Amino acid sequence: MPRPSTPLLSPGRIRSVALAIIDRDGLDGLSMRKLAAELGVQAASLYGHVRTKDQLLNDIASSILSTVDVSGFTVDWREGLIRCARSYRAALSSHPNIVPFLAYGPAGREESLQRLDLLHGALVDAGWSRREATMIAAGLMYIVFGSALSSFSSGFSSDPADYTDRYPHLDRAHLLPGVARELDRDSFELALAAFVRGL
């Protein structure tokens, strides 16, 4: 049987299919065997392109985070934090199942470390101590990752009977799931603005 004219495997296709599995089945749902099956190859074939599952996850992370905007730091450290946080949240919100992996930090991902170095340097250049700059970067990530990991608003029941008479201050909580996307976005913006203004 002749070889296919288009290779079955490429780094981009491997990342794309792996991310689709994560989006659908969660981080624990990704295995090299399942990935190989969905790509139509044997698991051994993957190892010519990806050494380990961790390397694959880091490659996917780099691809997702490539849209994080750090250009604002050339304007002002406050603008830098705001643009960075908004674009980071947007990138993560598209793929919430990979957020727990990314929450461990930049690991050895070159692009992530470059962005972090730029952020840290901008804060130090603005007069913050190195320790404070580290704490500011960590604080910003707590806001971003917390916002991207789950929806506070959609965690409420849409049945008014679950709240009426029992929780007088939550008498409209049943409406929250219907406005979850908007309220979660606005809550993130409120927390981000308060964080930057407080600094």
Side-chain angles (χ1 to χ4, degrees):
M1 177 181 236
R3 287 175 172 262
S5 57
T6 304
L8 289 175
L9 296 178
S10 69
R13 182 159 185 260
I14 291 170
R15 284 194 306 269
S16 176
V17 172
L19 183 55
I21 293 170
I22 293 169
D23 287 343
R24 184 187 70 219
D25 302 332
L27 270 174
D28 291 339
L30 176 66
S31 70
M32 298 303 259
R33 179 173 290 150
K34 182 187 284 188
L35 175 59
E38 296 213 10
L39 286 164
V41 299
Q42 296 296 314
S45 302
L46 287 176
Y47 293 104
H49 299 269
V50 181
R51 290 189 309 277
T52 65
K53 181 178 172 181
D54 269 356
Q55 180 203 339
L56 174 59
L57 288 172
N58 277 304
D59 290 347
I60 292 168
S62 293
S63 178
I64 291 171
L65 298 180
S66 65
T67 59
V68 174
D69 181 5
V70 290
S71 65
F73 290 107
T74 61
V75 178
D76 168 72
W77 65 270
R78 292 173 187 85
E79 180 64 21
L81 291 176
I82 290 168
R83 283 192 206 175
C84 179
R86 285 177 178 159
S87 61
Y88 215 127
R89 179 179 182 265
L92 297 182
S93 294
S94 300
H95 305 285
N97 286 344
I98 201 167
V99 171
F101 176 78
L102 294 170
Y104 285 110
R109 294 188 298 274
E110 181 68 21
E111 300 87 352
S112 293
L113 291 170
Q114 287 174 353
R115 280 190 295 274
L116 188 57
D117 184 63
L118 196 153
L119 184 159
H120 197 271
L123 291 170
V124 171
D125 289 347
W128 297 97
S129 71
R130 293 171 71 90
R131 184 174 190 274
E132 289 167 334
T134 300
M135 292 166 63
I136 291 168
L140 189 71
M141 291 303 102
Y142 297 148
I143 293 170
V144 169
F145 279 90
S147 173
L149 188 57
S150 64
S151 169
F152 173 80
S153 306
S154 65
F156 288 85
S157 165
S158 58
D159 184 351
D162 289 338
Y163 305 102
T164 305
D165 300 327
R166 297 178 62 203
Y167 308 103
H169 300 292
L170 297 177
D171 61 331
R172 301 188 68 190
H174 65 284
L175 302 174
L176 293 176
V179 294
R181 183 182 295 268
E182 175 188 348
L183 192 58
D184 289 341
R185 182 200 64 225
D186 291 349
S187 299
F188 165 76
E189 289 291 338
L190 176 67
L192 177 60
F195 178 71
V196 174
R197 193 164 54 242
L199 290 172

